[in-house]
C-alpha cells in the first residue's frame, strides 16, 4: 500500500489494497461488541455477509440475533469468556434474522479490546467459509491444470519475464519449474525466433488479442534436433480486469510438422512426376529432352542438376551406349566411356555452369576439373559417377566441407536395360536433405527421361537414315545446266519425317542438253520416299540412253507397275492383302522435259502431272498445254510429246500439287495464286522461289512440295559451230580444218591437236559405217562438245582390237583422250559425240605411253 495526500490540512489516509486483492475474494467482515455484550460497530462487509444493516445490528445481542437457538447457550458462555479477556477462534453457524435455519458457517476470530473508559469489549473478524472453500478449490484446479498439464505452460509478467513455469516445460528445457523464473524467451530460442516471440508477447499484452497456433522453431538444450512448437498466447487479468501478464501454452508439433512435410513432399513428387510426363520427351531431340528434364527438376526438386549422355549415342553409333544384365556390369567402357555434358541448370545465382558432383571450387565427387556444357569427358574409373554407370544404380554423394553442395544424387539413366547417360541432382547447404522418397523420385525422373532419350536416339537414327535417303535422291542445292539458270526448293509435308515422295532432278544430256524432271509419288513418308528413289534412279538410267521424253515415261510406267509385283506374289501365298496400300504408294505423276540450248526448244511429256508454267518476258504466266497422260503405274495408254520454243529470258516452272492444292482452297485458286506470284520473272531466280513459297502459304503441312524453276539462257550463236559435209573421203580433212579454225576463234588452241584427231576418227567412222550426209557440230559452254551426225542406224561399239588388226582402235582413242563420249539415236539416224574439258591455261594433258600402248 502507499500513502496518498488527500487533505489540505496535511492529513494522510492509507489507501486500501488495489481492487482484485485476496480480501475481495475471501470477504472479510468485522464488528465490535461492547461491555454489555451488544453490537456497537457493524462494518459494511458485515452487511454484505449477514444481510443486516448497521442500524438493524447495532444494540443487539449477536448471539441471540445471529446464532441458532441450540447454540445460543454456548455462544453466551463464549462471549463472557471473551469479555473476561480471552481470545477465541472457531467456526460459527450463523443465520439471517427472521430465519431459524442455519444460513452459513463463518470462521470467526474474536480478540478482547478496551473502551475509552477501560471497560472490557471485543473485536470480531468474520470470514465466510464458503468463499474460502471456493478459493481453495480454484487454487487446487489451477494447480492441477498448471502443474499436471502434458503441455508446456508459462506465465509471463508484464515485463515479459517468466513468473511461473510448469513441470512439463521444465522437463523439456531442464531444471525445476522454479529455475525458470525471471528468464526471457531469449534464454530458450535463437535470436530471430526469440524476437518473433517477444513481439507476439508484447502485442498480446498491449492489445489483449489472443494468438493461436503461433509456430516457432528451436532446439532443446543439449540437442541438435530441430523442434517445432505451436504456441497459444492470451492475456491474464486480475479479478478487477487489470492485466497482470501473458499465459503461453506450448505444444510440440514436430511429428505433425514432419507428417505434413512428408505429405507435402509426396504431393510435390506426384506433381513433379505428372509434370515430367507432360513436359519430357515432346521434342524427340536428345539435347532438348535433357533440358526438359532439368526444367522439371530445378528448382522443384533440387538446386543444381546436370545431364551427361554417351558420346557414341550422340554421334549415332549403332551399338547401344551401355547394357547391363544379371551381372549388373555395364559395358561400353565399363562406365568410363566418353560422355558429353548436354545440359545444366541451377537455381543458385552465380553458379558455374557445371555439375561435377561436388559443385564447389575444389574437387568434386567425379573429378577435380569443372565440366562445361558441351564438353566431352570421362569419369575416373573409381568415381561414384563411373560406378553408377557400371552398376545402373543410384549413388548418394555427400558434399565437401566449405563448398556449396550438401548432397548429390548420381543417377544412371536406364532405358530397356540400356544405360544412355547420367543425371546428377544436387541440393545446396541450407536446403532439405534428400530422403528415401526423393531418391525414388530421382530414379523415376531419370528413367522417364532415359526412355524419352532412347526413343529420341532411335528416332534420330531412323530420321538421319531417312534424310540420307532423301538427300541422296535429290539433286545438289545448286544444279547447273548449259543455257539454263536453275533454282529449286523442296519442303517435306511434315517436319517430323522431312521425307516424302516428291522429287525433282536436273540431268545433263549429250550435246549440252538438259532433262528437267519433276514427280510425285502418291503417299508420304519413308515408303513414298523409297518408291520415289526407285523411280528417280530409273529416270536417270533411261535419260542416259538419250530416249525421247514420251519413251522415257513409257518405260517408267512399266517399271512402276512392276514395283508392286513381289507383294502380289506374297498375297497369292496367303499373306494378308495390302494391295490398296501398295497401289497408292506406287502410283506416281511425272513431267519429263528435254531442253536444247542451241535451238531453245523444250520437249515435254506428262504422266498425270500438273502442267508446267511458262512466263515470257513482259507477259503473264501461262499454263503450257501439255496433254496429261495417265499416272505412272496405271499402264495401257501412250504418252504424247509437245515441243515448245522458249524465248530468251523466259521462266519455266515445274512444281508438285502440294504447292497449289490444300484443303483450304480448290486447285484452280492455288494455280491462279501461283501464276500471280510469278509476275516479276526478271528478279533473281532465288528471290522468285522465296516469293512463291511465301505468298502461297505453304506451311499447311498437308503434302510435300517440290519446285523447280529455270530461266532460259540459250547458247549464243558464236558458241556454236555447225557444218554439213558431203559423203566423200576429203570431208575428213575438211572436218579437221573446220574444227581447227573454230577452236582458234574460241582461243582454245591447247585443244586443237586432240580435237583434230578425234574429229578425224568420228568422221572416218561415219564415212565407213554410216549413211547419208555428214554433219559436224561444235558446242562451247562449260565444256567443249563435238558431235558427228549421219543417217546410219547402226550404233558404234567399242571393241578390243587384236594385235594383227590394222584398225578398230578409233573409239578406244576417243575414250582415252576425251572426258566422256557416246552415241544416241536421232529421228533420222544417230549422233556420235565426245566431250572435253576447257583448258585452264596449263595446256591439255597428253596421254601417257602406257595409255597409248594399252590400245595395242
Amino acid at each position: 500500500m502507499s500513502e496518498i495526500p488527500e487533505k489540505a490540512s496535511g492529513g494522510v489516509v492509507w489507501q486500501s489494497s488495489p481492487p482484485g486483492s485476496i480480501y475481495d475474494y475471501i470477504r472479510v467482515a468485522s464488528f465490535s461488541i461492547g461491555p454489555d455484550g451488544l453490537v456497537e460497530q457493524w462494518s459494511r462487509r458485515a452487511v454484505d455477509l449477514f444481510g443486516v444493516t448497521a442500524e438493524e445490528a447495532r444494540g443487539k445481542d449477536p448471539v441471540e440475533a445471529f446464532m441458532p437457538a441450540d447454540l445460543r447457550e454456548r455462544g453466551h458462555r463464549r462471549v463472557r469468556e471473551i469479555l473476561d479477556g480471552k481470545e477465541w477462534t472457531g467456526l460459527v453457524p450463523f443465520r439471517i434474522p427472521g430465519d431459524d435455519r442455519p444460513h452459513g458457517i463463518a470462521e470467526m476470530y474474536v480478540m478482547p479490546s478496551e473502551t475509552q473508559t477501560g471497560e472490557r469489549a471485543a473485536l470480531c473478524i468474520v470470514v465466510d467459509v464458503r468463499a474460502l472453500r471456493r478459493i481453495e478449490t480454484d487454487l487446487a484446479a489451477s494447480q492441477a491444470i498448471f502443474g499436471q498439464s502434458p503441455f508446456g505452460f508459462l506465465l509471463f509478467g508484464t515485463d515479459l519475464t517468466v513468473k511461473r513455469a510448469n513441470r512439463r516445460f521444465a522437463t523439456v528445457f531442464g531444471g525445476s519449474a522454479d529455475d525458470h523464473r525471471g528468464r526471457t524467451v531469449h534464454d530458450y530460442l535463437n535470436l530471430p525466433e526469440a524476437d518473433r516471440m517477444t513481439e507476439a508477447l508484447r502485442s498480446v499484452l498491449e492489445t489483449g488479442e489472443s494468438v493461436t497456433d503461433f509456430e516457432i522453431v528451436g532446439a532443446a538444450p543439449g540437442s541438435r534436433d530441430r523442434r517445432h512448437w505451436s504456441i497459444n498466447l492470451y492475456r491474464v487479468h486480475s479479478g478487477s480486469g487489470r492485466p497482470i501478464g501473458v499465459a503461453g501454452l506450448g505444444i510440440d508439433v514436430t511429428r505433425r510438422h514432419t507428417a505434413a512435410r512428408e505429405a507435402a513432399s509426396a504431393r510435390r513428387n506426384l506433381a513433379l512426376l505428372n509434370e515430367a510426363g507432360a513436359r519430357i520427351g515432346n521434342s524427340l531431340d536428345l539435347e532438348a529432352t535433357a533440358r526438359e528434364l532439368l526444367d522439371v527438376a530445378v528448382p522443384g526438386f533440387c538446386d543444381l542438376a546436370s545431364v551427361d549422355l554417351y558420346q557414341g549415342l550422340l554421334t549415332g553409333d549403332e551399338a547401344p551406349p551401355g547394357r547391363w544384365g544379371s551381372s549388373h556390369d555395364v559395358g561400353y567402357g565399363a562406365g568410363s566411356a566418353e560422355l558429353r555434358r548436354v545440359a545444366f541448370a541451377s537455381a543458385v545465382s552465380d553458379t558455374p555452369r557445371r555439375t561435377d558432383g561436388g559443385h564447389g571450387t575444389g574437387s568434386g565427387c567425379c573429378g577435380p576439373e569443372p565440366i562445361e556444357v558441351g564438353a566431352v569427358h570421362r569419369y575416373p574409373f573409381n568415381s561414384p559417377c563411373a560406378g553408377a554407370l557400371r552398376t545402373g544404380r543410384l549413388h548418394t554423394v555427400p558434399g565437401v566441407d566449405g563448398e556449396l553442395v550438401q548432397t548429390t544424387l548420381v543417377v544412371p539413366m536406364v532405358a530397356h536395360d540400356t544405360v544412355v547417360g547420367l543425371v546428377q541432382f544436387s541440393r545446396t547447404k541450407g536446403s532439405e536433405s534428400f530422403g528415401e522418397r526423393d531418391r525414388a523420385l530421382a530414379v523415376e525422373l531419370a528413367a522417364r527421361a532415359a526412355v524419352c532419350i532412347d526413343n529420341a536416339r532411335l528416332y534420330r537414327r531412323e530420321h538421319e537414315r531417312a534424310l540420307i535417303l532423301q538427300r541422296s535422291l535429290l539433286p545438289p542445292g545448286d544444279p547447273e545446266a548449259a543455257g539454263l539458270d536453275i533454282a529449286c526448293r523442296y519442303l517435306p509435308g511434315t517436319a517430323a519425317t522431312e521425307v516424302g515422295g516428291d522429287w525433282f532432278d536436273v540431268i545433263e544430256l549429250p550435246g549440252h542438253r538438259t532433262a528437267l524432271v519433276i514427280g510425285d509419288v502418291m503417299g508420304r513418308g519413308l515408303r513414298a520416299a523409297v518408291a520415289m528413289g526407285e523411280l528417280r534412279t530409273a529416270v536417270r538410267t533411261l535419260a542416259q540412253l538419250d530416249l525421247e521424253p514420251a519413251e522415257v515415261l513409257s518405260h517408267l510406267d512399266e517399271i512402276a507397275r512392276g514395283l508392286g509385283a513381289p507383294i502380289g506374289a506374297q498375297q497369292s501365298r496367303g499373306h494378308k492383302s495390302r494391295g490398296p496400300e501398295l497401289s497408292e504408294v506406287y502410283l506416281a505423276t511425272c513431267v519429263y522435259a528435254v531442253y536444247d540450248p542451241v535451238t531453245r526448244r523444250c520437249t515435254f511429256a506428262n504422266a498425270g502431272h500438273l502442267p508446267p508454267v511458262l512466263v515470257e518476258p513482259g507477259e503473264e504466266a501461262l499454263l503450257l498445254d501439255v496433254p496429261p497422260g495417265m499416272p505412272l503405274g496405271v499402264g495401257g495408254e501412250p504418252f504424247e510429246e509437245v515441243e515448245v520454243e522458249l524465248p530468251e529470258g523466259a521462266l519455266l516452272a515445274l512444281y508438285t500439287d502440294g504447292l497449289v492444292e490444300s484443303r483450304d482452297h480448290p486447285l484452280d485458286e492455288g494455280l491462279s495464286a501461283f501464276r500471280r506470284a510469278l509476275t516479276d520473272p526478271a528478279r533473281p531466280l532465288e528471290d522468285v522461289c522465296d516469293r512463291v513459297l511465301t505468298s502461297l502459304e505453304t506451311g499447311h503441312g498437308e503434302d510435300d512440295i517440290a519446285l523447280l524453276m529455270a530461266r532460259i539462257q540459250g547458247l549464243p550463236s558464236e558458241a556454236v559451230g555447225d557444218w554439213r559435209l558431203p559423203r566423200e573421203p576429203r570431208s575428213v580433212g575438211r572436218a579437221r580444218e573446220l574444227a581447227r579454225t573454230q577452236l582458234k576463234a574460241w582461243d582454245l588452241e591447247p585443244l586443237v591437236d586432240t580435237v583434230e584427231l578425234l574429229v578425224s576418227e568420228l568422221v572416218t567412222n561415219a564415212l565407213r559405217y554410216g549413211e547419208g550426209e555428214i554433219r559436224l557440230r561444235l558446242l562451247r559452254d562449260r565444256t567443249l562438245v563435238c558431235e558427228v551426225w549421219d543417217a546410219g542406224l547402226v550404233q558404234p561399239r567399242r571393241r578390243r582390237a587384236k594385235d594383227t588388226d590394222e584398225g578398230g582402235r578409233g573409239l578406244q582413242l576417243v575414250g582415252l583422250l576425251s572426258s566422256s563420249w557416246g552415241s544416241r539415236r536421232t529421228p533420222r539416224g544417230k549422233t556420235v559425240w565426245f566431250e572435253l574439258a576447257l583448258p585452264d591455261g596449263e595446256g591439255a594433258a597428253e596421254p601417257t605411253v602406257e595409255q597409248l600402248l594399252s590400245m595395242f
Side-chain angles (χ1 to χ4, degrees):
M1 296 187 297
S2 60
E3 293 181 349
I4 301 178
E6 288 189 356
K7 296 183 180 180
S9 61
V12 183
V13 177
W14 289 98
Q15 181 178 325
S16 63
S17 61
S21 68
I22 187 65
Y23 302 104
D24 293 328
Y25 289 101
I26 62 177
R27 301 180 67 186
V28 177
S30 66
F31 63 91
S32 63
I33 300 175
D36 55 2
L38 303 179
V39 175
E40 286 188 346
Q41 294 180 343
W42 191 257
S43 69
R44 291 183 179 180
R45 286 190 179 270
V47 175
D48 297 334
L49 177 62
F50 294 103
V52 178
T53 64
E55 290 77 7
E56 295 173 338
R58 281 195 296 267
K60 290 186 178 181
D61 185 341
V63 174
E64 295 293 334
F66 300 106
M67 294 186 67
D70 56 340
L71 297 178
R72 290 175 184 172
E73 182 179 355
R74 291 176 56 191
H76 285 298
R77 188 171 59 251
R78 294 296 184 190
V79 170
R80 287 193 297 269
E81 292 177 353
I82 293 170
L83 293 177
D84 287 339
K86 294 182 178 180
E87 293 185 1
W88 180 81
T89 301
L91 298 177
V92 178
F94 67 90
R95 65 181 182 85
I96 302 300
D99 188 352
D100 292 334
R101 294 175 300 172
H103 184 73
I105 296 178
E107 184 174 1
M108 185 175 295
Y109 175 57
V110 184
M111 63 190 75
S113 65
E114 292 183 356
T115 64
Q116 292 180 352
T117 60
E119 295 179 291
R120 298 287 182 91
L123 177 64
C124 300
I125 305 298
V126 183
V127 178
D128 189 349
V129 174
R130 293 176 301 175
L132 290 176
R133 296 297 178 266
R134 285 197 300 268
I135 293 174
E136 291 175 353
T137 301
D138 291 345
L139 288 175
S142 175
Q143 180 61 31
I145 293 174
F146 195 83
Q148 302 173 20
S149 171
F151 311 117
F153 209 111
L154 286 177
L155 179 63
F156 295 91
T158 55
D159 58 354
L160 302 185
T161 63
V162 176
K163 300 302 181 184
R164 190 174 180 185
N166 71 345
R167 187 182 302 112
R168 175 59 181 169
F169 183 86
T171 301
V172 175
F173 287 93
S176 65
D178 292 338
D179 293 338
H180 295 276
R181 297 181 185 273
R183 295 184 180 181
T184 67
V185 293
H186 286 82
D187 296 317
Y188 307 106
L189 303 173
N190 57 41
L191 183 60
E193 291 293 272
D195 289 343
R196 290 179 58 238
M197 183 69 177
T198 301
E199 186 64 27
L201 287 171
R202 185 174 291 110
S203 175
V204 172
L205 187 62
E206 292 175 355
T207 65
E209 296 181 0
S210 301
V211 173
T212 59
D213 201 19
F214 180 79
E215 188 167 316
I216 59 175
V217 180
S223 174
R224 299 181 62 182
D225 296 336
R226 288 165 56 91
R227 311 296 295 179
H228 294 260
W229 290 284
S230 175
I231 307 297
N232 296 319
L233 302 175
Y234 58 93
R235 191 167 68 182
V236 180
H237 304 83
S238 67
S240 63
R242 179 175 58 87
I244 61 174
V246 177
L249 179 66
I251 304 173
D252 190 334
V253 293
T254 303
R255 291 184 179 180
R256 185 178 73 187
H257 184 82
T258 301
R261 186 175 65 249
E262 290 179 352
S265 176
R267 289 193 297 270
R268 180 198 65 192
N269 291 354
L270 289 175
L272 275 174
L273 287 177
N274 183 57
E275 185 180 6
R279 296 180 59 183
I280 299 176
N282 294 323
S283 61
L284 283 177
D285 178 83
L286 294 172
E287 291 85 351
T289 302
R291 290 192 295 269
E292 290 164 356
L293 167 62
L294 300 193
D295 289 342
V296 172
V298 179
F301 177 68
C302 62
D303 301 315
L304 303 166
S306 66
V307 176
D308 297 311
L309 297 180
Y310 276 114
Q311 177 69 357
L313 179 145
L314 294 166
T315 55
D317 288 355
E318 291 296 325
R323 184 172 294 276
W324 60 286
S326 58
S327 64
H328 298 287
D329 184 22
V330 176
Y332 207 88
S336 59
E338 285 189 340
L339 297 106
R340 185 193 301 172
R341 177 64 48 84
V342 296
F344 173 84
S346 172
V348 183
S349 60
D350 300 328
T351 303
R353 292 187 60 81
R354 65 187 184 93
T355 51
D356 53 11
H359 303 278
T361 57
S363 62
C365 76
C366 298
E369 297 299 326
I371 302 171
E372 300 292 336
V373 174
V376 178
H377 63 96
R378 295 176 186 266
Y379 287 118
F381 182 84
N382 293 323
S383 66
C385 295
L389 291 170
R390 284 195 301 272
T391 63
R393 296 177 179 175
L394 177 146
H395 282 54
T396 302
V397 183
V400 180
D401 291 340
E403 294 189 355
L404 176 66
V405 169
Q406 174 193 120
T407 313
T408 297
L409 299 181
V410 180
V411 190
M413 306 177 74
V414 183
H416 311 301
D417 293 337
T418 299
V419 178
V420 298
L422 189 75
V423 58
Q424 298 180 56
F425 303 110
S426 299
R427 288 183 180 174
T428 57
K429 288 181 171 61
S431 298
E432 185 178 353
S433 301
F434 288 114
E436 288 301 321
R437 290 181 178 174
D438 294 325
R439 293 179 177 87
L441 175 62
V443 172
E444 179 66 21
L445 287 174
R448 292 194 179 197
V451 170
C452 295
I453 285 175
D454 195 48
N455 291 339
R457 175 182 70 88
L458 296 175
Y459 167 77
R460 172 180 285 188
R461 184 183 67 184
E462 298 304 320
H463 185 234
E464 288 178 350
R465 290 176 177 175
L467 285 180
I468 291 172
L469 172 64
Q470 183 77 48
R471 290 164 182 166
S472 67
L473 299 178
L474 294 175
D478 297 314
E480 295 181 352
L484 293 175
D485 180 17
I486 295 177
C488 51
R489 295 289 187 275
Y490 173 80
L491 297 177
T494 59
T497 60
E498 296 189 17
V499 294
D502 290 14
W503 93 93
F504 60 89
D505 210 344
V506 179
I507 307 170
E508 294 188 50
L509 299 177
H512 285 318
R513 294 173 304 135
T514 302
L516 303 176
V517 189
I518 195 160
D520 183 0
V521 176
M522 296 182 184
R524 286 185 294 177
L526 190 58
R527 290 180 60 83
V530 171
M532 175 268 285
E534 294 176 319
L535 292 177
R536 178 179 180 272
T537 302
V539 170
R540 280 195 160 262
T541 302
L542 294 171
Q544 297 306 316
L545 298 177
D546 209 357
L547 303 177
E548 296 297 325
E551 200 171 354
V552 171
L553 293 185
S554 296
H555 286 290
L556 277 180
D557 180 55
E558 294 179 4
I559 293 172
R561 281 186 288 139
L563 290 177
I567 302 300
Q570 291 180 5
Q571 294 173 2
S572 66
R573 292 195 296 267
H575 288 264
K576 184 177 180 180
S577 175
R578 299 173 62 187
E581 180 184 359
L582 288 175
S583 64
E584 180 182 357
V585 169
Y586 289 108
L587 284 177
T589 63
C590 180
V591 169
Y592 186 89
V594 175
Y595 171 70
D596 187 344
V598 178
T599 63
R600 293 201 310 273
R601 289 185 170 272
C602 189
T603 305
F604 297 90
N606 189 352
H609 202 82
L610 293 173
V613 174
L614 178 64
V615 187
E616 297 185 8
E619 302 291 338
E620 294 183 355
L622 298 175
L623 297 176
L624 292 179
D625 187 13
V626 179
M630 299 299 292
L632 302 177
V634 175
E637 293 292 334
F639 298 97
E640 298 183 42
E641 292 182 357
V642 173
E643 187 177 71
V644 179
E645 184 174 350
L646 306 178
E648 185 77 18
L651 185 64
L652 178 65
L654 305 178
Y655 54 96
T656 57
D657 57 358
L659 182 67
V660 296
E661 186 176 19
S662 75
R663 298 175 184 176
D664 299 332
H665 55 75
L667 177 61
D668 290 344
E669 291 184 9
L671 288 173
S672 298
F674 180 39
R675 292 165 58 191
R676 288 194 299 271
L678 299 174
T679 53
D680 189 9
R683 300 174 61 185
L685 206 54
E686 295 291 339
D687 294 347
V688 176
C689 286
D690 293 337
R691 178 178 178 179
V692 168
L693 296 180
T694 302
S695 61
L696 268 62
E697 299 181 358
T698 56
H700 50 75
E702 296 176 2
D703 198 0
D704 308 325
I705 295 174
L707 175 63
L708 177 61
M709 305 187 73
R711 177 169 285 121
I712 306 304
Q713 297 173 347
L715 287 180
S717 58
E718 58 271 16
V720 179
D722 195 351
W723 307 275
R724 297 183 183 273
L725 302 174
R727 190 171 189 80
E728 53 187 33
R730 63 179 181 177
S731 293
V732 176
R734 176 60 177 165
R736 287 198 301 266
E737 181 183 354
L738 292 172
R740 181 173 58 253
T741 303
Q742 185 65 67
L743 291 178
K744 289 181 178 180
W746 287 340
D747 294 328
L748 297 178
E749 286 85 353
L751 299 181
V752 169
D753 293 340
T754 301
V755 172
E756 281 189 332
L757 178 59
L758 298 185
V759 165
S760 177
E761 288 293 334
L762 294 188
V763 174
T764 301
N765 284 345
L767 289 173
R768 182 176 300 178
Y769 304 108
E771 299 177 2
E773 187 180 36
I774 299 173
R775 183 180 176 186
L776 173 65
R777 188 166 73 168
L778 294 178
L779 305 177
R780 182 182 184 274
D781 191 65
R782 291 176 293 115
T783 61
L784 177 68
V785 174
C786 177
E787 298 176 329
V788 175
W789 304 33
D790 70 77
L793 298 178
V794 179
Q795 296 292 319
R797 182 173 62 87
R798 185 176 177 179
R799 63 184 179 86
R800 181 77 177 181
K802 298 179 182 179
D803 295 343
T804 57
D805 290 343
E806 295 182 0
R809 298 180 178 85
L811 292 181
Q812 293 186 49
L813 187 63
V814 172
L816 178 64
L817 298 180
S818 65
S819 58
S820 62
W821 75 279
S823 67
R824 67 178 188 273
R825 292 182 299 170
T826 63
R828 297 174 182 172
K830 67 177 181 297
T831 300
V832 183
W833 57 272
F834 66 84
E835 185 173 9
L836 293 174
L838 298 181
D840 55 6
E842 298 179 357
E846 296 291 337
T848 64
V849 175
E850 289 77 8
Q851 290 174 327
L852 292 174
L853 291 177
S854 66
M855 296 186 297
F856 295 93

